Amino acid sequence: MSANDQLESYLSDAHSIEEQALTQLRAAPDIAGDAGLAEIFTRHLDETEGHEQMIRDRMEAHGSKPSKLKEALMKAGGAGFVLFAGSQPDTPGKLVAHAYSYEHLELASYELLEIVARRAGDEDTAVTARRIRDEEKAMAERLGAAFDTAVDASLRKLSPDDLQEQVTKYLMDAHALEQQAKKLLEKASENGGTRELERIYSEHLGETRGHAALVERRLDELGSSPSRFKDAAMKLGGLNWSGFFKAQPDTPGKLAAFAYAFEHLEIAGYEELKRVATRAGDTGTVEVCDRILGEERAAARKVAGAFDGAVEASLQAVA
């Protein structure tokens, strides 16, 4: 596969991601639980409609069209998440955390697309990718600034006496996320594509095991334990990812983008947990969150710093 063929594949992926984003953003304002959050999603819907058209234009310039299969799968995934988020008692928090992660998936995808475009000598696509990437980054920053609002909206109907119970539930969610993170990183440590990426994934796998132990200890101190149901569901998701990556010819690039996004899903989860714990006066849980957040952010930066290597490994894999 030539660099130009790979570029067309990345454009197709980007278009599919925008289709899923549109499905989610069209429903998000109605389930956001807060007028300010709804406005953030409505504003980005307009931007995303523009992104979809810009990518479609670049595909047409290459004589290609969106993949109907990819579009259908991504739309279904978007609709599925909307149903999931709407069924949760803390819908605003789940919605904002997922959206924060998804914006970083898009951000990573456009970073990779720009690298591939420049290697293929397509400056127009590189400029388009950078423009969209900047708008995705701005949306991620708006969501990051809205964690307090999301937590307030999630807890609005609860009495102060229920806050400690909510801390326990958020800790269970965090533990379940760590279980899926372990599955993803175990896969990544073996198939990262470069020694640098495999080292990054392997080092963070060790940290992630430590995070799970910290959360377990905190749950035990609060007289609780991890949720077997949530852990099992997230482990299954990790196994499904293994199958997904095996089916991809450009695993290193896809893996780096997913790992980067998943780090930000965890970051969002711990940011919200920290705020719930602060409202409950649970300083022990706040300290756990601060410790883990520092390592999650550092891991995300390391993965982003290795995107060039991920692209090179992907191009070699399909050459």
Side-chain angles (χ1 to χ4, degrees):
M1 184 183 289
S2 67
N4 193 64
D5 291 333
Q6 186 74 344
L7 174 57
E8 291 182 14
S9 177
Y10 272 70
L11 281 167
S12 178
D13 289 343
H15 192 268
S16 299
I17 288 173
E18 294 296 354
E19 286 290 350
Q20 183 168 4
L22 286 170
T23 299
Q24 295 169 170
L25 288 166
R26 286 168 181 150
D30 293 333
I31 63 174
D34 178 88
L37 293 177
E39 193 279 330
I40 289 174
F41 288 114
T42 299
R43 173 181 172 184
H44 194 52
L45 173 59
D46 292 337
E47 292 175 336
T48 301
E49 288 172 342
H51 300 168
E52 184 275 331
Q53 186 59 55
M54 283 188 276
I55 295 301
R56 185 182 290 273
D57 290 344
R58 294 313 306 151
M59 294 183 75
E60 289 179 356
H62 281 266
S64 62
K65 296 181 180 179
S67 164
K68 291 183 178 180
L69 176 60
K70 287 182 181 179
E71 308 288 293
L73 289 172
M74 295 299 273
K75 283 183 179 179
F81 175 75
V82 169
L83 289 172
F84 165 75
S87 69
Q88 302 300 302
D90 56 337
T91 291
K94 289 284 194 302
L95 182 65
V96 169
H98 171 80
Y100 184 74
S101 173
Y102 200 83
E103 288 306 313
H104 284 89
L105 175 63
E106 292 185 283
L107 192 160
S109 297
Y110 285 111
E111 288 273 11
L112 297 171
L113 175 59
E114 181 186 12
I115 295 170
V116 174
R118 293 197 187 282
R119 294 192 180 203
D122 185 346
E123 188 61 25
D124 288 339
T125 295
V127 170
T128 296
R130 176 56 53 177
R131 176 181 172 184
I132 298 175
R133 183 260 183 204
D134 289 345
E135 291 189 357
E136 306 293 11
K137 181 180 179 181
M139 174 58 172
E141 290 172 350
R142 291 195 292 272
L143 289 167
F147 286 141
D148 278 305
T149 303
V151 169
D152 286 342
S154 293
L155 302 179
R156 191 168 291 152
K157 296 181 180 180
L158 298 175
S159 71
D161 294 338
D162 294 330
L163 286 176
Q164 193 60 57
E165 180 182 352
Q166 291 302 309
V167 171
T168 299
K169 290 180 179 179
Y170 275 68
L171 279 165
M172 289 179 180
D173 288 343
H175 191 270
L177 279 177
E178 296 294 359
Q179 299 311 301
Q180 189 165 10
K182 284 193 286 186
K183 287 294 182 183
L184 175 61
L185 291 167
E186 285 168 358
K187 172 68 176 175
S189 298
E190 299 172 357
N191 300 277
T194 70
R195 288 184 178 179
E196 179 187 9
L197 278 165
E198 288 175 357
R199 177 187 58 78
I200 290 170
Y201 296 140
S202 180
E203 288 178 354
H204 192 51
L205 174 58
E207 292 174 337
T208 298
R209 289 170 175 150
H211 299 167
L214 283 172
V215 173
E216 287 172 13
R217 186 180 308 131
R218 189 62 195 146
L219 280 166
D220 183 64
E221 291 168 350
L222 295 174
S224 187
S225 60
S227 166
R228 292 183 179 179
F229 174 76
K230 289 181 179 180
D231 284 359
M234 295 301 270
K235 282 183 178 179
L236 180 61
L239 292 172
N240 288 340
W241 275 2
S242 294
F244 169 78
F245 288 124
K246 285 180 181 178
Q248 305 303 308
D250 57 339
T251 291
K254 293 256 189 334
L255 194 53
F258 271 93
Y260 184 72
F262 199 84
E263 287 306 313
H264 286 87
L265 179 60
E266 292 185 283
I267 288 168
Y270 283 111
E271 286 285 3
E272 292 183 352
L273 169 58
K274 179 180 175 180
R275 284 160 172 77
V276 176
T278 298
R279 286 159 175 73
D282 184 344
T283 57
T285 298
V286 170
E287 290 173 1
V288 168
C289 290
D290 283 336
R291 176 175 173 180
I292 294 175
L293 278 166
E295 293 184 351
E296 301 291 11
R297 289 198 175 95
R301 288 193 296 270
K302 290 175 184 177
V303 173
F307 281 156
D308 271 304
V311 168
E312 181 62 33
S314 291
L315 292 174
Q316 291 180 3
V318 299

